Amino acid sequence: MHQSTGKRNKIIIYLLFLFILSTTSAKYINDQNKLSSSINKINITGLSEGKNLEILNNLNNLLYKSIFVINKDGVRKILKKHNIIQEFSIKKIYPSTLNIQIKPTKFIARVSNNSQYLVGANGKLIEDKNNNELLPYIFGEFDSHDFLSFKKNIEKSIFSFSNLKELSFFPSGRWDILTDNDILIKLPQEHIVVSLNLSKKLIDNDNFVDYKFIDLRVKNHLVVK
């Protein structure tokens, strides 16, 4: 009887030992897996060395977090705070690397009251004190919606944005443009593409050589000087 009880106790102890050992082993393996899947490297490419480093510093809180739980939407929110960015892609390279490829926006204009601020093709303002590109100036208080909407109309027309010297935005939502050969065009609030096409055809006409002013603000009414 005593021997049977002793054997049973030994078996119970043995099973408890195996259970503790397996639990500890499983925890160790789990900890090792977490450690091996923790992000230990973030690669950012596409911008200047200084700008890449600045964005990397913004993302430092991602280091040593599990690559499996990284929320790409959270990364996108951080990246979208940088106006220089036009597009980007985020790739998880398992087990522990995050690759971020950035495409910078193209500078297309300068803000008239502060030439250090440039307007990107994404409609955002970017400060760049060292940029010496020859770009058209934008006058007036505009927002990105106003600008991008007008730029799309230019792209739909036979005009080229590169032919512009100045753009002026008015509170009424209307634009004036000055071409690179100093022809001032006053555009209406509506039918922008049609007005731009008409203006371009007039400018390209040999009979228009002596004119430097086109006014299309009034519907079905053309003034040239």
Side-chain angles (χ1 to χ4, degrees):
M1 182 72 174
H2 290 293
Q3 285 184 340
S4 177
T5 302
K7 285 182 179 180
R8 187 164 59 250
N9 288 339
K10 286 181 180 180
I11 291 171
I12 292 172
I13 293 170
Y14 178 71
L15 290 174
L16 284 172
F17 176 75
L18 283 178
F19 175 76
I20 293 171
L21 184 64
S22 62
T23 301
T24 304
S25 178
K27 185 178 183 303
Y28 175 78
I29 292 171
N30 187 50
D31 289 343
Q32 288 298 105
N33 287 337
K34 284 184 178 180
L35 186 62
S36 64
S37 66
S38 296
I39 294 176
N40 56 37
K41 189 174 184 181
I42 302 176
N43 297 317
I44 299 177
T45 56
L47 301 177
S48 67
E49 184 177 347
K51 195 64 181 178
N52 286 340
L53 182 59
E54 179 185 340
I55 294 174
L56 180 61
N57 289 335
N58 293 158
L59 296 172
N60 269 344
N61 63 321
L62 300 179
L63 289 173
Y64 309 116
K65 288 186 177 181
S66 172
I67 197 168
F68 298 106
V69 300
I70 291 298
N71 186 344
K72 288 187 177 181
D73 287 338
V75 179
R76 289 187 181 97
K77 285 182 181 179
I78 294 174
L79 294 177
K80 285 182 177 179
K81 291 179 181 179
H82 296 269
N83 290 350
I84 187 65
I85 297 175
Q86 179 78 34
E87 299 174 4
F88 57 84
S89 63
I90 305 168
K91 290 184 179 180
K92 295 179 179 180
I93 309 299
Y94 296 99
S96 57
T97 301
L98 201 64
N99 282 352
I100 300 175
Q101 175 65 44
I102 294 173
K103 178 183 177 181
T105 191
K106 182 181 178 183
F107 297 136
I108 56 176
R110 291 185 185 277
V111 177
S112 61
N113 58 1
N114 191 336
S115 60
Q116 292 180 358
Y117 279 91
L118 308 178
V119 182
N122 56 8
K124 296 180 180 180
L125 297 181
I126 303 105
E127 184 176 14
D128 191 332
K129 300 177 182 179
N130 301 316
N131 186 284
N132 295 315
E133 291 181 66
L134 185 61
L135 299 169
Y137 280 86
I138 300 184
F139 295 83
E141 296 184 8
F142 64 95
D143 60 30
S144 60
H145 174 75
D146 299 322
F147 174 71
L148 291 177
S149 177
F150 183 60
K151 184 173 180 291
K152 285 180 181 178
N153 282 324
I154 294 176
E155 291 168 350
K156 291 176 184 177
S157 75
I158 57 176
F159 239 104
S160 173
F161 197 89
S162 61
N163 294 138
L164 303 184
K165 191 174 182 179
E166 294 178 3
L167 303 91
S168 298
F169 181 73
F170 297 91
S172 62
R174 196 185 61 75
W175 290 86
D176 282 356
I177 57 176
L178 183 69
T179 68
D180 52 6
N181 51 358
D182 294 320
I183 298 173
L184 177 63
I185 303 171
K186 291 187 169 292
L187 295 165
Q189 288 179 269
E190 299 178 340
H191 309 296
I192 305 301
V193 176
V194 173
S195 299
L196 286 167
N197 287 340
L198 176 58
S199 300
K200 187 67 169 65
K201 289 174 182 178
L202 286 171
I203 292 170
D204 292 342
N205 192 309
D206 292 338
N207 296 322
F208 193 83
V209 176
D210 297 325
Y211 295 100
K212 291 291 182 180
F213 179 88
I214 301 174
D215 191 343
L216 294 165
R217 288 176 293 177
V218 180
K219 187 178 180 180
N220 297 323
H221 191 72
L222 170 65
V223 177
V224 294
K225 296 180 182 178

